[in-house]
Amino acid sequence: MKHTVTQRFSAIAAVVLGLLSPIGHANADVLPSINLQLSPWTVVARAKGIFKEEFDKVGTKEVNLIASGGAELIGAETAAVSKGAISIAQRMIYPATVHRANGLDGVIVWASEPSNRYRAPVLAAASNQSVNSLVDLDGKKFGSSRISCYWSAPTEALNSVGLPLDTRQKKGRVRYESIDNPTVAISAVISGATDATTVHLAAGNATGAWLSGKLKVVGHTPDDGVYVNHAGRVTYFAKREFVNKYPEAVKAFLASRERAMEWVLNNVDEAAKIIAKETRVPQEVAKFQITHPGQWEFMQGEPNADRARTSIKTFIDWYIKQGDDILAERSLTNTQVDSFVDGRFFAGGTHSIYR
């Protein structure tokens, strides 16, 4: 009878310990396959066997890279995450936060270090002799994607010279046109339909125009500003349900990124060949996407979850004051921001890649 009681106690203890284990750890499921974005670093991780090594550790046997296509609208990756077509997606921290405010039940599992002035410059056509600096845009047309760095960075840049963009509530000094397709925004500038835009020069849809001399930089965000230090960080995010169910797969993804980033930066020429072949761009473009100071695929991570949360709270407050109607109407509380950045994957968390 004593032996039976001991057995029962052991069984109960096991159940209790299981209930007290961190969510998503003891009860984590094995993910048989995962869909990820096809990007410069993911094609390297696949080609060098990094994905296989890391995902094999957690039982995920198939990694599918989904090509977004050159005509994809900005924000489409968020819809793909919401519908499960992509498991983990990359997005800058400002638009990721806007999507959360708009109802996406997602969490940030990785955030980058602060940005820099080169990541989202204000551009004009090289042939446009009337626009050579930010002050030349007074009364002219600016076209870009509204929910992206392509709005948040030029907003701060133009405000710094006293030329605010139009908002939905108030007319500014620069006419604003929302264009969700960056290729169209660039074409509009080159054709003269608009006078300026902002894009990431290391993006595939911008690099060709830049390297061919069709564009020129006419302004940057302030080095000590809100964009550089807060709103211009890169994130990876996923649905909360997915992260809670497959935290080990998320950790394998993040570990793969760290390894791929290190290998690329130490083997630029070989990496450029892989990226050129797998993403179907010229090798010159692939190398530019690695080495340009405004690239974002190979940024270092922000290990501190609270610093990432502070960045979000800081730019929410700042952009509301600048006329950000989306965050003004559907602003996140501090508690919501805190839970938006999933501490399990940052320093000190149960599934952190940071030692």
Side-chain angles (χ1 to χ4, degrees):
M1 187 68 179
K2 183 178 180 180
H3 180 67
T4 302
V5 171
T6 301
Q7 285 180 319
R8 288 177 179 172
F9 176 79
S10 298
I12 293 171
V15 171
V16 171
L17 289 173
L19 291 174
L20 294 178
S21 297
I23 295 174
H25 183 66
N27 297 322
D29 293 335
V30 173
L31 181 66
S33 65
I34 188 169
N35 293 338
L36 302 171
Q37 290 165 296
L38 186 145
S39 70
W41 80 261
T42 60
V43 297
V44 169
R46 179 175 63 184
K48 302 305 294 184
I50 296 171
F51 273 149
K52 177 172 174 49
E53 291 176 9
E54 293 297 335
F55 278 105
D56 274 356
K57 296 176 185 178
V58 299
T60 301
K61 299 302 182 183
E62 184 178 349
V63 178
N64 303 308
L65 300 186
I66 309 300
S68 60
E72 181 183 42
L73 297 180
I74 283 183
E77 79 292 319
T78 305
V81 166
S82 180
K83 295 180 181 298
I86 296 174
S87 298
I88 305 169
Q90 182 198 77
R91 199 77 210 270
M92 292 292 186
I93 200 168
Y94 164 78
T97 302
V98 170
H99 291 311
R100 175 66 187 89
N102 281 336
L104 177 70
D105 188 19
V107 293
I108 290 173
V109 297
W110 182 91
S112 77
E113 62 189 344
S115 188
N116 62 48
R117 70 198 308 259
Y118 304 105
R119 192 144 285 120
V122 178
L123 304 165
S127 60
N128 188 343
Q129 299 302 312
S130 66
V131 177
N132 296 293
S133 67
L134 291 174
V135 295
D136 295 330
L137 289 173
D138 194 4
K140 293 186 168 61
K141 295 180 181 179
F142 183 96
S144 71
S145 173
R146 172 62 183 83
I147 305 177
S148 72
C149 294
Y150 304 166
W151 177 86
S152 59
T155 289
E156 186 173 23
L158 287 164
N159 281 350
S160 72
V161 294
L163 298 177
L165 287 167
D166 290 340
T167 69
R168 200 166 63 180
Q169 290 83 14
K170 185 178 179 181
K171 184 176 181 179
R173 295 281 294 275
V174 181
R175 307 287 77 77
Y176 181 72
E177 297 185 12
S178 181
I179 305 174
D180 281 337
N181 189 316
T183 303
V184 174
I186 293 169
S187 298
V189 166
I190 294 173
S191 71
T194 58
D195 297 288
T197 190
T198 288
V199 294
H200 299 308
L201 290 177
N205 46 33
T207 304
W210 174 255
L211 292 178
S212 64
K214 300 292 186 183
L215 300 170
K216 61 184 176 185
V217 174
V218 297
H220 295 95
T221 52
D223 289 321
D224 60 349
V226 171
Y227 178 81
V228 165
N229 289 294
H230 304 294
R233 293 175 185 256
V234 181
T235 70
Y236 281 94
F237 68 94
K239 288 181 69 174
R240 192 183 306 273
E241 179 185 10
F242 176 86
V243 173
N244 286 342
K245 193 172 184 180
Y246 304 114
E248 298 290 347
V250 175
K251 183 179 180 181
F253 168 83
L254 298 176
S256 297
R257 186 200 173 274
E258 289 296 299
R259 290 180 57 189
M261 176 187 69
E262 182 178 2
W263 187 89
V264 167
L265 296 179
N266 288 323
N267 301 274
V268 172
D269 290 334
E270 185 180 350
K273 291 179 181 177
I274 296 172
I275 294 167
K277 178 182 178 182
E278 297 296 332
T279 66
R280 300 182 182 181
V281 299
Q283 194 167 324
E284 178 188 18
V285 170
K287 189 169 183 177
F288 181 89
Q289 292 175 327
I290 299 170
T291 60
H292 185 260
Q295 63 80 17
W296 69 92
E297 292 281 353
F298 308 104
M299 294 177 71
Q300 296 292 330
E302 168 59 78
N304 189 295
D306 283 337
R307 280 199 292 264
R309 292 169 180 139
T310 296
S311 278
I312 295 174
K313 294 170 186 177
T314 300
F315 73 68
I316 284 178
D317 290 343
W318 195 89
Y319 281 117
I320 288 174
K321 294 175 183 177
Q322 311 314 308
D324 189 324
D325 50 293
I326 299 171
L327 291 176
E329 293 173 3
R330 295 180 285 281
S331 187
L332 298 174
T333 66
N334 285 344
T335 299
Q336 288 175 315
V337 171
D338 289 342
S339 66
F340 183 38
V341 178
D342 195 326
R344 287 175 291 177
F345 302 96
F346 290 79
T350 56
H351 292 78
S352 175
I353 59 171
Y354 302 109
R355 293 175 175 81

PDB file of all heavy atoms in Angstrom, residues 135-148:
ATOM      1  N   VAL A 135      14.565  71.022 -48.426  1.00  0.00           N
ATOM      2  CA  VAL A 135      13.830  72.300 -48.486  1.00  0.00           C
ATOM      3  C   VAL A 135      13.243  72.547 -49.866  1.00  0.00           C
ATOM      4  O   VAL A 135      12.291  73.323 -50.012  1.00  0.00           O
ATOM      5  CB  VAL A 135      14.745  73.479 -48.076  1.00  0.00           C
ATOM      6  CG1 VAL A 135      15.145  73.353 -46.618  1.00  0.00           C
ATOM      7  CG2 VAL A 135      15.966  73.576 -48.978  1.00  0.00           C
ATOM      8  N   ASP A 136      13.770  71.875 -50.883  1.00  0.00           N
ATOM      9  CA  ASP A 136      13.243  72.041 -52.239  1.00  0.00           C
ATOM     10  C   ASP A 136      11.892  71.365 -52.436  1.00  0.00           C
ATOM     11  O   ASP A 136      11.253  71.540 -53.479  1.00  0.00           O
ATOM     12  CB  ASP A 136      14.229  71.479 -53.273  1.00  0.00           C
ATOM     13  CG  ASP A 136      15.540  72.247 -53.303  1.00  0.00           C
ATOM     14  OD1 ASP A 136      15.526  73.454 -53.007  1.00  0.00           O
ATOM     15  OD2 ASP A 136      16.578  71.628 -53.618  1.00  0.00           O
ATOM     16  N   LEU A 137      11.440  70.585 -51.447  1.00  0.00           N
ATOM     17  CA  LEU A 137      10.178  69.856 -51.583  1.00  0.00           C
ATOM     18  C   LEU A 137       8.970  70.665 -51.120  1.00  0.00           C
ATOM     19  O   LEU A 137       7.847  70.162 -51.153  1.00  0.00           O
ATOM     20  CB  LEU A 137      10.246  68.538 -50.803  1.00  0.00           C
ATOM     21  CG  LEU A 137      11.168  67.480 -51.417  1.00  0.00           C
ATOM     22  CD1 LEU A 137      11.310  66.280 -50.487  1.00  0.00           C
ATOM     23  CD2 LEU A 137      10.633  67.021 -52.778  1.00  0.00           C
ATOM     24  N   ASP A 138       9.173  71.889 -50.724  1.00  0.00           N
ATOM     25  CA  ASP A 138       8.058  72.740 -50.299  1.00  0.00           C
ATOM     26  C   ASP A 138       7.027  72.863 -51.427  1.00  0.00           C
ATOM     27  O   ASP A 138       7.333  73.316 -52.529  1.00  0.00           O
ATOM     28  CB  ASP A 138       8.579  74.123 -49.926  1.00  0.00           C
ATOM     29  CG  ASP A 138       7.563  74.946 -49.154  1.00  0.00           C
ATOM     30  OD1 ASP A 138       6.475  74.418 -48.841  1.00  0.00           O
ATOM     31  OD2 ASP A 138       7.861  76.121 -48.861  1.00  0.00           O
ATOM     32  N   GLY A 139       5.790  72.392 -51.147  1.00  0.00           N
ATOM     33  CA  GLY A 139       4.708  72.466 -52.122  1.00  0.00           C
ATOM     34  C   GLY A 139       4.725  71.386 -53.180  1.00  0.00           C
ATOM     35  O   GLY A 139       3.845  71.351 -54.045  1.00  0.00           O
ATOM     36  N   LYS A 140       5.685  70.466 -53.115  1.00  0.00           N
ATOM     37  CA  LYS A 140       5.801  69.425 -54.130  1.00  0.00           C
ATOM     38  C   LYS A 140       5.174  68.119 -53.661  1.00  0.00           C
ATOM     39  O   LYS A 140       4.695  67.996 -52.530  1.00  0.00           O
ATOM     40  CB  LYS A 140       7.268  69.233 -54.515  1.00  0.00           C
ATOM     41  CG  LYS A 140       7.846  70.450 -55.250  1.00  0.00           C
ATOM     42  CD  LYS A 140       9.247  70.184 -55.736  1.00  0.00           C
ATOM     43  CE  LYS A 140       9.709  71.262 -56.715  1.00  0.00           C
ATOM     44  NZ  LYS A 140       9.743  72.592 -56.129  1.00  0.00           N
ATOM     45  N   LYS A 141       5.180  67.122 -54.547  1.00  0.00           N
ATOM     46  CA  LYS A 141       4.513  65.844 -54.275  1.00  0.00           C
ATOM     47  C   LYS A 141       5.496  64.789 -53.773  1.00  0.00           C
ATOM     48  O   LYS A 141       6.553  64.581 -54.369  1.00  0.00           O
ATOM     49  CB  LYS A 141       3.844  65.316 -55.546  1.00  0.00           C
ATOM     50  CG  LYS A 141       2.704  66.177 -56.077  1.00  0.00           C
ATOM     51  CD  LYS A 141       2.130  65.555 -57.336  1.00  0.00           C
ATOM     52  CE  LYS A 141       1.001  66.398 -57.905  1.00  0.00           C
ATOM     53  NZ  LYS A 141       0.460  65.797 -59.157  1.00  0.00           N
ATOM     54  N   PHE A 142       5.076  64.097 -52.715  1.00  0.00           N
ATOM     55  CA  PHE A 142       5.853  62.994 -52.149  1.00  0.00           C
ATOM     56  C   PHE A 142       4.952  61.762 -52.126  1.00  0.00           C
ATOM     57  O   PHE A 142       3.846  61.811 -51.583  1.00  0.00           O
ATOM     58  CB  PHE A 142       6.325  63.334 -50.737  1.00  0.00           C
ATOM     59  CG  PHE A 142       7.199  62.276 -50.114  1.00  0.00           C
ATOM     60  CD1 PHE A 142       8.575  62.379 -50.164  1.00  0.00           C
ATOM     61  CD2 PHE A 142       6.640  61.171 -49.483  1.00  0.00           C
ATOM     62  CE1 PHE A 142       9.388  61.403 -49.599  1.00  0.00           C
ATOM     63  CE2 PHE A 142       7.427  60.192 -48.917  1.00  0.00           C
ATOM     64  CZ  PHE A 142       8.807  60.310 -48.976  1.00  0.00           C
ATOM     65  N   GLY A 143       5.405  60.661 -52.694  1.00  0.00           N
ATOM     66  CA  GLY A 143       4.604  59.437 -52.730  1.00  0.00           C
ATOM     67  C   GLY A 143       5.326  58.263 -52.114  1.00  0.00           C
ATOM     68  O   GLY A 143       6.483  57.994 -52.435  1.00  0.00           O
ATOM     69  N   SER A 144       4.655  57.548 -51.208  1.00  0.00           N
ATOM     70  CA  SER A 144       5.276  56.381 -50.569  1.00  0.00           C
ATOM     71  C   SER A 144       4.202  55.541 -49.895  1.00  0.00           C
ATOM     72  O   SER A 144       3.043  55.933 -49.819  1.00  0.00           O
ATOM     73  CB  SER A 144       6.304  56.816 -49.525  1.00  0.00           C
ATOM     74  OG  SER A 144       5.664  57.383 -48.395  1.00  0.00           O
ATOM     75  N   SER A 145       4.623  54.394 -49.374  1.00  0.00           N
ATOM     76  CA  SER A 145       3.700  53.525 -48.648  1.00  0.00           C
ATOM     77  C   SER A 145       3.433  54.101 -47.263  1.00  0.00           C
ATOM     78  O   SER A 145       4.364  54.423 -46.516  1.00  0.00           O
ATOM     79  CB  SER A 145       4.286  52.125 -48.521  1.00  0.00           C
ATOM     80  OG  SER A 145       3.479  51.325 -47.683  1.00  0.00           O
ATOM     81  N   ARG A 146       2.178  54.200 -46.897  1.00  0.00           N
ATOM     82  CA  ARG A 146       1.796  54.839 -45.640  1.00  0.00           C
ATOM     83  C   ARG A 146       2.240  54.057 -44.410  1.00  0.00           C
ATOM     84  O   ARG A 146       2.732  54.634 -43.434  1.00  0.00           O
ATOM     85  CB  ARG A 146       0.267  55.047 -45.636  1.00  0.00           C
ATOM     86  CG  ARG A 146      -0.313  55.522 -44.307  1.00  0.00           C
ATOM     87  CD  ARG A 146       0.228  56.879 -43.902  1.00  0.00           C
ATOM     88  NE  ARG A 146      -0.298  57.261 -42.599  1.00  0.00           N
ATOM     89  CZ  ARG A 146       0.204  56.864 -41.441  1.00  0.00           C
ATOM     90  NH1 ARG A 146       1.263  56.070 -41.396  1.00  0.00           N
ATOM     91  NH2 ARG A 146      -0.328  57.263 -40.306  1.00  0.00           N
ATOM     92  N   ILE A 147       2.043  52.748 -44.407  1.00  0.00           N
ATOM     93  CA  ILE A 147       2.362  51.966 -43.197  1.00  0.00           C
ATOM     94  C   ILE A 147       3.728  51.329 -43.372  1.00  0.00           C
ATOM     95  O   ILE A 147       3.861  50.128 -43.642  1.00  0.00           O
ATOM     96  CB  ILE A 147       1.282  50.903 -42.919  1.00  0.00           C
ATOM     97  CG1 ILE A 147      -0.090  51.557 -42.837  1.00  0.00           C
ATOM     98  CG2 ILE A 147       1.573  50.175 -41.615  1.00  0.00           C
ATOM     99  CD1 ILE A 147      -1.222  50.592 -42.630  1.00  0.00           C
ATOM    100  N   SER A 148       4.764  52.139 -43.245  1.00  0.00           N
ATOM    101  CA  SER A 148       6.126  51.637 -43.441  1.00  0.00           C
ATOM    102  C   SER A 148       7.124  52.702 -43.042  1.00  0.00           C
ATOM    103  O   SER A 148       6.761  53.840 -42.713  1.00  0.00           O
ATOM    104  CB  SER A 148       6.350  51.258 -44.912  1.00  0.00           C
ATOM    105  OG  SER A 148       6.436  52.432 -45.713  1.00  0.00           O
TER     106      SER A 148
END
